[in-house]
């Protein structure tokens, strides 16, 4: 909420408190938006924010988990660090899921947590939590500020570490007495991080190895991962794929790095990927992985993953190379620099015509499929409609579950940085707050949050923000009145024992939205949808659409757990 | 495979926790860790003795360590010419009569008696793992009242032999 009478912020020359130094440092980092929640240990910081006038746009999510997922959405869309502030103890622990999520999905997020005063750390003081201990395994790096003179340098390092190399979350824990302490001499912000020198340029010898392998390959395939987003290398990827007519398959997070409608795109690979994409990985003789970490949801059983292929892996994080899949051609590099080098060193184009024909045939023979009933809605059809009513050009965020997979399958993306989903941690409750962050990052874009009726209920309190900040987020609840993905596994692998997966009691989502002063609507049939949804999606108002879909739909095709990538089930009706 | 891996780290708060937490989280089997300052201000050295399944696991271990911001350098020195030492303090039941006997046992190990009481004495021994094991075995019949051991600490010898000779100098093979 805006308070009119705030003084305009001036960079003071008077002695500054730690909180003032933090504000200065955030201005230095060109932070515009802060996702946060106040509390005792950050009162001095919130006071400094207040005194900073309109230097920042502060977003008061209604739960710290909402703050950090919004910051993740913001980071995913802009590529810049999302900034989060929370108080000590419960404020900090409420962030944990989001920090772990950002770590798994390599999102640049800088988190400031309040801490009890230095003198009482370790005494189980009121609202004390061991934030360093708790966040060490789920951060790229973390700091506890021990002395005021370190603060500006630490903030600078935190932003640098979060946003360079392989991005990730950095936590800065600030004891309250540091925030209030005053320093007369402006401390230095010089930093050196001798242990952190990400290698961004590829080794020419390794590039040569890869171009040589390409010249030999009869069945090459490009696997496009999130590293293409991070490296802003979509154009180079397209040029490279076209230069050699290389078939492209995607990871979940790689969606949008290459135009989904391109003739060389064979769609998403992995557990719920397309048959063609998975067979491309199974049969290829050269696999060029750019910026994917060979997650198990992608590879299926490792011994059947790309068994005949020479594997080349381009990754800015050397620790990912060879971690899961033995790799013959390791290339430690930023995706853009590697692709540029490959474009320049183009070897004789391999002959891929037959290979392409084979994959094209798989694509024709085994397309994604579903049965469309007469009047009722199925989620796959719903996703196709959302795609067509938004011209395939929305920023799509999703929660976790069946709807996430259907969105990935049926909302074909053409452009990068428009796909915001929780892949690594698979965090229910992510999708809706992430959409708020995405909308703040891209105010003029259409943002659609595709959520399940289960996951939406984990973070729906952020509906407050839609009215408060006039954010035209379109929330599509794919309402199957179940924890659909769990129900599907129970149906397939637990003989239909639906243990705690049917949500027979639900709120009235329309009234719920209305109680937050957001328009709510219910759509119960195909006809209903065709009549109401185009208008609801096209205007500049937020809306919550409760879409009633058939409960029994399952996500297909599928690689069952423990199976190989070539053993998909449900590939045909 | 038993390997000796050293890490040079910036001596910042949390670095030990980060490194050991990482090893635990990724299920590496640590036999011992020793940590201490080095000749350079603000720089510490950690020495790990690890038991890893294969080369790939070992590569992961060094890469994951290297990835940490405060870790400056990681080396697997197992196959290099190194000096490596552990320390053990062993309190053994004894009296005036058998003190000399024990003295005789420990002498070839270049161990020393550093504390004596009415009914016990404390032996300090440094050196290779196997040497310390051997001494402990010899002292056990007298009754070991207390035993404390450090992890291994190690670094490269001033002069490295030609590659072909290296294996001979390895202490773990
Ligand atoms: C925080 C959290 N808790 C539990 C799970 C396990 N889980 C994965 S999908 C799923 C069901 C999601 O149901 P819903 O949000 O209704 O989406 P649907 O699958 O029906 O599309 C559950 C419980 C999870 N991913 N995250």
């Amino acid at each position: 909420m805006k308070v009119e009478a705030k003084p305009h912020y001036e960079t003071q020359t008077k002695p500054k408190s730690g909180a003032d130094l933090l504000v200065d440092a955030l201005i230095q980092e060109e932070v515009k938006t802060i996702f946060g929640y106040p509390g005792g240990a950050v009162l001095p910081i919130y006071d400094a924010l207040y005194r900073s006038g309109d230097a920042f746009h502060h977003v008061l999510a209604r739960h710290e988990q909402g703050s950090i997922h919004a910051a993740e959405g913001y980071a995913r869309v802009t590529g810049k660090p999302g900034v989060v502030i929370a108080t000590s103890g419960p404020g900090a622990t409420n962030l944990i899921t989001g920090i772990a999520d950002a770590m798994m999905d390599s999102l640049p997020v800088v988190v400031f947590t309040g801490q009890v005063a230095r003198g009482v750390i370790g005494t189980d003081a009121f609202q004390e939590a061991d934030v360093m201990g708790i966040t060490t395994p789920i951060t790229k790096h973390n700091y506890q500020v021990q002395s005021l003179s370190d603060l500006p340098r630490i903030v600078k390092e935190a932003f640098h570490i979060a946003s360079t190399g392989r991005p990730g979350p950095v936590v800065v824990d600030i004891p309250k007495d540091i925030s209030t302490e005053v320093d007369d001499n402006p401390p230095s912000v010089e930093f050196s991080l001798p242990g952190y020198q990400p290698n961004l340029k590829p080794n020419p010898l390794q590039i040569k190895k890869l171009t040589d392998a390409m010249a030999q390959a009869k069945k090459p395939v490009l696997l496009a991962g999130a590293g293409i987003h991070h490296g802003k290398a979509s154009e180079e990827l397209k040029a490279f794929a076209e230069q050699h007519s290389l078939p492209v398959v995607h990871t979940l997070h790689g969606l949008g790095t290459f135009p989904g409608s391109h003739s060389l795109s064979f769609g998403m690979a992995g557990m719920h990927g397309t048959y063609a994409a998975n067979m491309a990985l199974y049969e290829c003789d050269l696999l060029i992985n750019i910026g994917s970490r060979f997650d198990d949801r992608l590879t299926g059983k490792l011994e059947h993953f790309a068994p005949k292929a020479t594997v080349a892996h381009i990754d800015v994080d050397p620790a990912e190379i060879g971690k899961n899949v033995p790799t013959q051609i390791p290339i430690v590099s930023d995706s853009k620099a590697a692709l540029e080098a490959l474009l320049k060193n183009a070897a004789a184009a391999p002959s891929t015509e037959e290979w392409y024909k084979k994959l094209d045939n798989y694509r024709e023979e085994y397309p994604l499929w579903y049965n469309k009933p007469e009047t009722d809605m199925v989620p796959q059809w719903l996703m196709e409609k959302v795609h067509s009513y938004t011209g395939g050009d929305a920023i799509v965020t999703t929660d976790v579950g069946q709807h996430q997979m259907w969105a990935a399958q049926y909302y074909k993306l053409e452009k990068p940085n428009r796909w915001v989903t929780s892949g690594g941690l698979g965090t229910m409750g992510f999708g809706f707050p992430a959409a708020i962050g995405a909308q703040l990052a891209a105010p003029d874009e259409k943002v659609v949050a595709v959520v399940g009726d289960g996951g939406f209920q984990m973070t729906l309190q952020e509906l407050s923000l839609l009215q408060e900040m006039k954010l035209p987020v379109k929330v599509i609840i794919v309402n199957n009145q179940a924890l659909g993905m769990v129900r599907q596994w129970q149906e397939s692998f637990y003989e239909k024992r639906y243990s705690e997966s049917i949500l027979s009691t639900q709120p009235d989502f329309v009234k719920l939205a209305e109680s937050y002063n957001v328009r709510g609507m219910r759509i119960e049939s195909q006809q209903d949808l065709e009549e109401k949804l185009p208008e609801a999606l096209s205007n500049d108002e937020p809306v919550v659409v409760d879409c009633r879909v058939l409960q029994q739909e399952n996500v297909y095709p599928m690689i069952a757990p423990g199976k190989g990538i070539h053993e998909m089930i449900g590939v045909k009706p | 495979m038993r390997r000796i891996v050293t890490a040079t780290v910036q001596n910042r708060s949390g670095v030990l926790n980060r490194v050991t937490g990482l090893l635990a989280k990724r299920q590496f089997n640590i036999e011992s860790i020793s940590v201490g300052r080095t000749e350079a201000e603000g720089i510490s050295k950690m020495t790990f003795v690890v038991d890893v399944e294969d080369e790939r696991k070992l590569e992961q271990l060094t890469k994951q360590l290297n990835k940490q911001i405060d870790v400056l350098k990681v080396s697997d020195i197992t196959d290099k010419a190194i000096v490596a030492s552990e320390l053990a303090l062993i309190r053994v039941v004894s009296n005036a009569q058998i003190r000399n006997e024990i003295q005789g046992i420990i002498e070839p190990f270049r161990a020393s008696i550093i504390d004596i009481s009415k009914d016990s004495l404390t032996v300090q021994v440094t050196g290779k793992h196997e040497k310390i094991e051997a001494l402990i075995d010899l002292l056990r019949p007298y009754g070991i009242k207390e035993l404390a051991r450090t992890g291994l600490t190690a670094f490269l010898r001033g002069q490295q032999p030609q590659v072909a000779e290296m294996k001979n100098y390895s202490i773990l093979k």
Side-chain angles (χ1 to χ4, degrees), chain A residues 249-485:
Chain A
V249 303
H250 292 276
T251 66
L252 175 68
H253 275 315
L255 292 170
T257 55
F258 188 78
S261 60
H262 198 288
S263 59
L264 286 170
S265 168
F266 288 85
M268 180 172 76
M271 183 172 269
H272 291 298
T274 65
Y275 183 78
N278 283 339
M279 289 311 286
L281 289 174
Y282 183 67
E283 292 181 7
C284 67
D285 63 1
L286 174 64
L287 169 55
I288 307 172
N289 168 10
I290 310 181
S292 140
R293 61 184 173 84
F294 284 134
D295 172 70
D296 57 80
R297 283 293 187 271
L298 172 82
T299 61
K301 193 165 188 186
L302 277 171
E303 64 182 88
H304 300 304
F305 181 74
K308 298 159 212 153
T310 299
V311 176
H313 185 168
I314 299 168
D315 206 304
V316 77
D317 179 1
E320 286 305 339
I321 300 178
K323 183 181 83 177
N324 295 338
V325 173
T327 299
Q328 289 75 39
I329 309 174
I331 302 181
V332 180
S333 168
D334 165 73
S335 57
K336 196 185 189 92
L339 279 162
E340 278 168 355
L342 287 168
L343 279 166
K344 264 195 233 127
N345 294 282
S351 140
T352 56
E353 225 166 275
E354 241 174 77
W355 173 230
Y356 181 84
K357 257 193 231 147
K358 185 166 196 186
L359 295 182
D360 197 34
N361 186 45
Y362 285 147
R363 183 163 57 184
E364 293 283 306
E365 256 316 280
Y366 303 96
L368 294 170
W369 64 272
Y370 61 89
N371 294 319
K372 186 155 96 69
E374 280 283 292
T375 55
D376 289 335
M377 274 199 295
V378 290
Q380 302 91 330
W381 180 83
L382 168 63
M383 283 303 114
E384 286 184 333
K385 286 291 166 190
V386 173
H387 182 269
S388 92
Y389 295 154
T390 54
D393 198 31
I395 293 176
V396 180
T397 79
T398 82
D399 214 75
V400 170
Q402 289 183 311
H403 66 279
Q404 176 188 33
M405 292 298 115
W406 285 315
Q409 291 177 334
Y410 292 97
Y411 199 103
K412 247 185 204 168
L413 291 153
E414 304 298 319
K415 292 193 247 165
N417 299 314
R418 309 180 79 75
W419 174 242
V420 184
T421 194
S422 169
L425 199 65
T427 306
M428 282 173 75
F430 172 86
F432 174 49
I436 290 170
Q439 187 77 78
L440 284 161
D444 301 327
E445 305 273 0
K446 179 88 50 205
V447 175
V448 178
V450 178
V451 298
D453 48 308
F456 183 51
Q457 292 187 65
M458 288 197 174
T459 45
L460 61 74
Q461 73 284 348
E462 307 310 342
L463 280 167
S464 290
L465 289 172
L466 298 190
Q467 264 314 316
E468 185 176 306
M469 310 194 86
K470 301 270 170 279
L471 301 174
V473 171
K474 311 291 185 186
V475 181
I476 305 288
I477 306 175
V478 182
N479 188 349
N480 51 13
Q481 305 199 12
L483 302 175
M485 191 55 97

Side-chain angles (χ1 to χ4, degrees), chain B residues 48-100:
Chain B
F48 308 96
V49 178
V50 293
D51 187 13
V52 290
E53 282 150 48
D54 51 27
E55 290 290 337
R56 204 155 120 214
K57 266 279 205 182
L58 178 66
E59 184 182 315
Q60 261 298 298
L61 175 98
T62 53
K63 282 176 164 181
Q64 293 294 347
L65 284 172
N66 245 321
K67 193 161 129 176
Q68 305 311 312
I69 311 285
D70 288 334
V71 173
L72 302 176
K73 187 166 191 249
V74 180
S75 319
D76 175 358
I77 59 171
T78 319
D79 300 331
K80 299 273 167 69
I82 59 175
V83 281
S85 222
E86 290 177 28
L87 179 142
L89 300 175
I90 312 157
R91 194 145 68 90
V92 187
V93 178
S94 86
N95 51 33
Q97 286 89 324
I98 55 175
R99 206 168 284 153
N100 276 347

Side-chain angles (χ1 to χ4, degrees), chain B residues 17-153:
Chain B
N17 185 18
R18 184 166 275 278
V19 166
T20 53
L22 155 76
L23 298 174
K25 157 175 136 174
R26 298 202 182 256
Q27 305 222 300
F28 289 109
N29 213 345
I30 309 294
E31 288 189 4
S32 76
I33 300 183
S34 80
V35 191
R37 300 201 174 163
T38 65
E39 75 288 354
E41 165 99 27
I43 305 290
S44 288
K45 177 120 155 198
M46 301 185 182
T47 307
F48 308 96
V49 178
V50 293
D51 187 13
V52 290
E53 282 150 48
D54 51 27
E55 290 290 337
R56 204 155 120 214
K57 266 279 205 182
L58 178 66
E59 184 182 315
Q60 261 298 298
L61 175 98
T62 53
K63 282 176 164 181
Q64 293 294 347
L65 284 172
N66 245 321
K67 193 161 129 176
Q68 305 311 312
I69 311 285
D70 288 334
V71 173
L72 302 176
K73 187 166 191 249
V74 180
S75 319
D76 175 358
I77 59 171
T78 319
D79 300 331
K80 299 273 167 69
I82 59 175
V83 281
S85 222
E86 290 177 28
L87 179 142
L89 300 175
I90 312 157
R91 194 145 68 90
V92 187
V93 178
S94 86
N95 51 33
Q97 286 89 324
I98 55 175
R99 206 168 284 153
N100 276 347
E101 197 177 323
I102 291 179
Q103 183 76 53
I105 291 177
I106 68 173
E107 211 178 81
F109 291 83
R110 282 188 249 165
S112 49
I113 294 173
I114 58 169
D115 183 43
I116 294 178
S117 70
K118 267 208 310 284
D119 54 358
S120 74
L121 59 78
T122 301
V123 174
Q124 171 180 294
V125 58
T126 60
K128 290 182 191 174
H129 189 78
E130 293 78 2
K131 166 181 159 185
I132 292 173
E133 292 284 302
L135 181 59
I136 291 170
D137 281 347
L138 288 171
L139 293 176
R140 188 160 284 130
Y142 296 92
I144 292 178
K145 294 186 92 171
E146 204 172 346
L147 174 64
R149 298 176 70 166
T150 68
L152 181 87
T153 190

Side-chain angles (χ1 to χ4, degrees), chain A residues 11-246:
Chain A
T11 317
Q12 312 150 314
T13 43
K14 308 189 288 240
K16 294 192 177 202
S17 70
D20 291 327
L21 290 175
L22 174 62
V23 164
D24 285 359
L26 294 176
I27 291 172
Q28 280 288 314
E29 296 298 328
E30 294 177 9
V31 172
K32 297 280 181 307
T33 307
I34 295 174
F35 302 88
Y37 208 100
V42 288
L43 277 169
I45 294 173
Y46 270 84
D47 192 59
L49 287 176
Y50 186 90
R51 286 184 282 104
S52 73
D54 45 19
F56 309 103
H57 186 185
H58 184 278
V59 182
L60 180 72
R62 296 316 198 249
H63 186 296
E64 287 88 351
Q65 187 182 355
S67 312
I68 187 145
H69 290 330
E72 293 181 81
Y74 181 92
R76 170 61 82 199
V77 170
T78 59
K80 295 193 199 125
V83 177
V84 179
I85 301 178
T87 194
S88 66
T93 55
N94 271 350
L95 296 174
I96 298 307
T97 302
I99 297 173
D101 192 89
M103 184 70 176
M104 289 286 259
D105 285 347
S106 309
L107 292 172
V109 177
V110 179
V111 176
F112 297 94
T113 50
Q115 182 55 277
V116 299
R118 276 169 294 177
V120 293
I121 290 178
T123 65
D124 305 318
F126 177 64
Q127 294 195 325
E128 180 181 1
D130 177 9
V131 169
M132 290 296 283
I134 298 170
T135 62
T136 293
I138 53 168
T139 49
K140 184 170 173 187
H141 199 54
N142 58 358
Y143 296 88
Q144 186 172 71
V145 184
Q146 312 278 358
S147 122
L148 179 58
S149 59
D150 291 339
L151 180 66
R153 173 187 56 80
I154 287 177
V155 175
K156 216 173 163 67
E157 285 184 9
F159 277 85
H160 176 70
I161 292 168
S163 57
T164 53
R166 178 180 181 177
V170 178
V171 168
V172 181
D173 196 36
I174 309 179
K176 186 172 182 180
D177 59 321
I178 296 238
S179 294
T180 51
E181 192 180 321
V182 173
D183 192 348
D184 305 299
N185 316 318
S188 141
V189 293
E190 289 297 302
F191 73 81
S192 94
L193 292 167
Y196 178 66
Q197 311 285 339
N199 184 22
L200 303 178
K201 296 270 171 279
N203 177 334
L205 287 175
Q206 295 303 104
I207 293 287
K208 171 87 171 44
K209 255 200 204 167
L210 176 49
T211 52
D212 287 353
M214 283 174 63
Q216 303 289 316
K218 302 223 158 39
K219 301 172 178 178
V221 69
L222 266 178
L223 172 63
I228 314 262
H229 289 301
H230 297 306
K232 302 187 175 58
S234 284
E235 271 174 40
E236 289 77 6
L237 174 69
K238 183 155 173 274
F240 180 56
E242 285 175 349
Q243 188 180 48
H244 303 286
S245 304
L246 296 168

